[in-house]
Amino acid sequence: MSPRQADTRQRALDVALELFAEQGYEKTSLREIAERLDVTKAALYYHFASKEALLAGIVDRLVEPADELVTWSQTQPRTTEFRQEYLRRLAALLQGQWSRWISFVQQNQPTLRDHTEAGQKMQSRLLLLCAPIIEPDAVLQDQLRSLLGLLAVYLGNLAPASAMLRSLGFEATPEELTVAAMDVALELVGERTSRRS
Amino acid sequence: MSPRQADTRQRALDVALELFAEQGYEKTSLREIAERLDVTKAALYYHFASKEALLAGIVDRLVEPADELVTWSQTQPRTTEFRQEYLRRLAALLQGQWSRWISFVQQNQPTLRDHTEAGQKMQSRLLLLCAPIIEPDAVLQDQLRSLLGLLAVYLGNLAPASAMLRSLGFEATPEELTVAAMDVALELVGERTSRRS
DNA sequence: GTCTATAAGTAGATAGAC
DNA sequence: GTCTATCTACTTATAGAC
């Protein structure tokens, strides 16, 4: 492939991710993708054997950064400090490159469940991302608190989620929400004082 | 309509809800609905002007119980005790008739966003259901805690959610999860002791 | 109120020229 | 690697008989 022009396969993955995230897999036709690429449908079929192969290609690329975070987390001790650092890294990712990843997953949850190959790959990563902050030996309530802490980070750092929160009457800027959510999250994943002694 | 046989319109709404919740709006064809009803597509068009009208009919029925709960909540004082009772009622509904409602909404979120009429009706109800437990005068952190409490109830009382939790390594029965989730939820919507004095 | 028949359109996918 | 042209299999929706 020439250095000046990304090859069609890569561009197709970019365009398809954007369209799938925006309007969903089913509602996006190969014609539409081809038009944006300024090639024909048939040309697309040269690079991808099927529409499903396009989906699989996207999933493979999206799963990569998730695996990196999880790999890092496995080198760390499972302390409260680690869990808090983990949430901070997650927040940074959610604000950055992952906003697109989440849109894609949200928009295509039912679709992904059907295409078992791609769907299971995605789901396994979502579960792996939750696992590091859940203390296996903690009581069930504390495990749930940790998970809710993760959800708080999620709510505080994704544009659509914080838009929803504001329409619920949260009179705060997105930045204030992010700070407050991290505040609550860090508390939820922190050490427990003996609560029901 | 005869007393022995529910009229086709009602049966169609039942069948459509079931199929839409199970496999999604787009993936469900009018042919499929008609076949289950043992009538033809054309007969279906006698009762509903379009596929979209079928969707609108379903949404109207589903929104009803949500409005009842919200109406009740508006007669109540906004105390901690009220919020806790609200969560209990919500939990009861989630375990009962609403499991289907949630499936339908989850499965068709993107679809509902497109069909603005039906989608906005659904979304407004989801927001209204969150509103009663959010204290307008509380600090942002406490508002978030209340919202997370609601999410905890959600996680603890829906079959798919609790299945996910178990695959995350929560070694608990669905019943134990429900109890623990309510435990955490009640705490999150409860009064704050001055936490950072 | 339900039927048959069909219109009109779009989808994913393929064959074969260049 | 990309094209034109086409195939097959749907879809929603309508017209008009019974």
Side-chain angles (χ1 to χ4, degrees):
Chain A
M1 44 185 147
S2 92
R4 279 193 40 196
Q5 158 188 353
D7 89 76
T8 304
R9 191 189 150 86
Q10 290 303 317
R11 286 171 56 230
L13 288 173
D14 289 337
V15 167
L17 170 57
E18 192 178 326
L19 290 175
F20 290 170
E22 189 187 315
Q23 59 194 8
Y25 175 80
E26 330 278 354
K27 283 183 185 166
T28 304
S29 67
L30 295 177
R31 178 187 54 74
E32 196 174 359
I33 296 171
E35 271 172 12
R36 279 227 197 175
L37 287 171
D38 207 36
V39 298
T40 61
K41 263 191 306 177
L44 214 47
Y45 271 97
Y46 172 82
H47 297 282
F48 298 93
S50 66
K51 191 183 182 182
E52 199 168 10
L54 205 44
L55 184 70
I58 288 175
V59 167
D60 283 340
R61 292 209 312 183
L62 290 180
V63 142
E64 216 173 294
D67 286 342
E68 286 172 22
L69 181 62
V70 170
T71 299
W72 167 80
S73 80
Q74 285 165 348
T75 70
Q76 303 297 311
R78 294 184 140 249
T79 61
T80 296
E81 288 69 32
F82 156 68
R83 292 201 296 279
Q84 295 182 341
E85 173 62 20
Y86 185 80
L87 287 189
R88 287 192 200 93
R89 294 196 180 208
L90 202 64
L93 284 170
L94 285 170
Q95 291 207 347
Q97 54 188 124
W98 277 12
S99 49
R100 195 180 239 183
W101 188 63
I102 301 283
S103 298
F104 172 78
V105 175
Q106 288 237 124
Q107 190 80 253
N108 297 292
Q109 252 172 10
T111 303
L112 286 168
R113 226 190 33 187
D114 293 346
H115 299 262
T116 43
E117 350 122 44
Q120 289 191 338
K121 195 177 276 188
M122 291 258 66
Q123 199 189 355
S124 71
R125 263 55 174 206
L126 282 175
L127 293 181
L128 282 173
L129 284 172
C130 296
I133 56 148
I134 296 178
E135 241 343 291
D137 298 332
V139 296
L140 192 53
Q141 281 87 349
D142 283 344
Q143 291 182 321
L144 278 171
R145 281 187 195 92
S146 293
L147 188 60
L148 289 171
L150 196 143
L151 284 176
V153 171
Y154 180 91
L155 289 175
N157 287 282
L158 285 172
S162 77
M164 196 201 74
L165 292 180
R166 255 166 290 121
S167 77
L168 267 172
F170 288 76
E171 286 166 13
T173 64
E175 291 73 25
E176 287 170 333
L177 254 177
T178 300
V179 172
M182 182 56 77
D183 206 19
V184 174
L186 291 178
E187 186 188 292
L188 283 167
V189 300
E191 291 295 352
R192 300 290 141 231
T193 56
S194 54
R195 192 177 298 266
R196 52 203 106 251
S197 61
Chain B
M1 45 185 147
S2 95
R4 279 191 44 195
Q5 159 187 351
D7 89 77
T8 304
R9 191 190 150 85
Q10 289 303 317
R11 285 172 56 231
L13 287 173
D14 288 337
V15 168
L17 170 58
E18 193 178 326
L19 290 175
F20 289 170
E22 188 187 316
Q23 59 193 8
Y25 175 80
E26 330 278 355
K27 283 183 184 165
T28 304
S29 69
L30 294 178
R31 177 187 54 73
E32 198 173 357
I33 296 171
E35 271 172 13
R36 278 227 198 174
L37 287 171
D38 207 38
V39 298
T40 61
K41 268 188 303 177
L44 214 48
Y45 271 99
Y46 172 82
H47 295 284
F48 297 93
S50 68
K51 191 183 182 183
E52 199 168 9
L54 205 44
L55 184 72
I58 288 174
V59 168
D60 282 340
R61 291 209 312 186
L62 289 181
V63 141
E64 216 174 296
D67 286 341
E68 285 172 22
L69 181 62
V70 171
T71 299
W72 168 80
S73 79
Q74 285 165 348
T75 69
Q76 302 297 311
R78 293 183 139 249
T79 61
T80 296
E81 288 70 31
F82 156 68
R83 291 201 296 280
Q84 295 181 341
E85 173 63 19
Y86 185 79
L87 287 189
R88 287 192 199 94
R89 294 194 180 209
L90 203 63
L93 284 169
L94 285 170
Q95 291 206 347
Q97 55 188 123
W98 277 12
S99 50
R100 193 180 242 185
W101 188 63
I102 301 284
S103 298
F104 172 78
V105 175
Q106 288 237 124
Q107 190 80 252
N108 297 292
Q109 251 172 11
T111 304
L112 286 168
R113 227 190 32 187
D114 293 347
H115 300 262
T116 41
E117 350 121 42
Q120 290 192 339
K121 196 177 276 189
M122 291 258 67
Q123 200 189 354
S124 71
R125 262 56 174 206
L126 282 175
L127 293 181
L128 282 174
L129 283 172
C130 297
I133 55 147
I134 296 178
E135 241 344 289
D137 298 332
V139 296
L140 193 53
Q141 280 87 347
D142 284 343
Q143 291 182 320
L144 278 171
R145 281 187 194 94
S146 294
L147 188 60
L148 288 171
L150 195 142
L151 284 176
V153 172
Y154 181 91
L155 289 174
N157 287 282
L158 285 172
S162 78
M164 195 200 75
L165 292 179
R166 255 169 288 120
S167 77
L168 266 171
F170 288 76
E171 287 167 13
T173 64
E175 291 74 24
E176 287 170 333
L177 254 177
T178 300
V179 171
M182 182 57 77
D183 206 18
V184 174
L186 292 178
E187 185 187 294
L188 283 168
V189 301
E191 291 294 353
R192 300 293 140 227
T193 56
S194 52
R195 191 177 297 266
R196 49 203 109 251
S197 60

